[in-house]
Amino acid sequence: MTDRVQPLDVESVISGRDDRERSELRLWLRLLSAANLITSAIRRNLRQNFNVTLPQFDLLAQLEREPKGLRLSELSQRMMVTNGNLTGLVDKLESQGLVVRERSASDRRAIHVRLTKAGAALFCVMAKAHESWLAQMMANLPDQARGSLMRDLQTLKSSVRGADLG
């Protein structure tokens, strides 16, 4: 029987320190560690089950919310990626028949991207799987803790937004 060795994250490296020491740093590292674990699992499952990357899934998710499609510039802003990176994502998904590019009727310079029927159908299956993976990962988190965590993270978001970092 071989035990699987878990890689060390930065939080683990500093875990021997006094909990009161650098609590903000420890909190940020714990949040980052949890987010990285979840993201890694989602990336792996999307690749293994659907041969899709997380950025491709995110692009499909944006388009699923907008049945008429989105301009490339809007997609770029929503996904917080450059137009160059977005073009590669759209190229790949278009070659798979999941999205289509169309010239805007109102502005011939603008390109809209929308899901195809095949893209919408595949995204529906992927979204259900994604939700299931998240449920499995969070299955051991009691409802009370989940609610508390949601409230606490909202408070943290408000604190971060209110910080004056100049």
Side-chain angles (χ1 to χ4, degrees):
M1 180 173 123
T2 56
D3 290 327
R4 188 170 164 196
V5 176
Q6 293 293 324
L8 284 178
D9 55 24
V10 178
E11 183 192 5
S12 299
V13 171
I14 68 166
S15 67
R17 297 183 182 175
D18 183 357
D19 280 345
R20 294 170 304 222
E21 183 181 338
R22 299 181 180 159
S23 64
E24 293 85 2
L25 175 62
R26 291 177 53 77
L27 174 59
W28 177 71
L29 291 172
R30 182 154 302 167
L31 288 168
L32 185 60
S33 177
N36 286 340
L37 285 169
I38 293 167
T39 301
S40 292
I42 296 296
R43 283 181 191 277
R44 183 176 55 254
N45 281 309
L46 284 170
R47 175 63 71 200
Q48 289 173 352
N49 293 284
F50 300 104
N51 196 30
V52 169
T53 65
L54 184 55
Q56 290 169 342
F57 176 82
D58 290 343
L59 189 150
L60 294 172
Q62 289 296 328
L63 293 176
E64 192 273 335
R65 294 180 189 102
E66 302 288 343
K68 293 182 181 179
L70 290 169
R71 290 173 62 153
L72 284 173
S73 58
E74 292 172 295
L75 264 173
S76 177
Q77 288 175 339
R78 287 183 182 200
M79 294 180 64
M80 295 182 281
V81 298
T82 65
N83 285 337
N85 286 340
L86 185 63
T87 298
L89 290 172
V90 172
D91 286 347
K92 178 71 172 176
L93 294 171
E94 187 175 39
S95 73
Q96 296 173 333
L98 302 176
V99 302
V100 64
R101 285 181 174 104
E102 300 169 327
R103 289 243 176 245
S104 170
S106 61
D107 181 354
R108 298 295 295 163
R109 296 168 296 167
I111 303 291
H112 276 81
V113 180
R114 68 172 173 78
L115 285 177
T116 62
K117 287 183 181 181
L122 178 61
F123 180 76
C124 183
V125 173
M126 287 192 297
K128 287 178 184 171
H130 178 267
E131 189 174 335
S132 172
W133 300 329
L134 289 171
Q136 289 173 43
M137 286 187 271
M138 297 182 194
N140 293 326
L141 186 62
D143 288 344
Q144 184 176 355
R146 193 172 301 175
S148 176
L149 188 54
M150 290 291 287
R151 287 186 298 278
D152 292 345
L153 288 174
Q154 182 57 49
T155 302
L156 175 60
K157 281 174 61 175
S158 296
S159 177
V160 170
R161 286 184 176 130
D164 183 17
L165 300 179

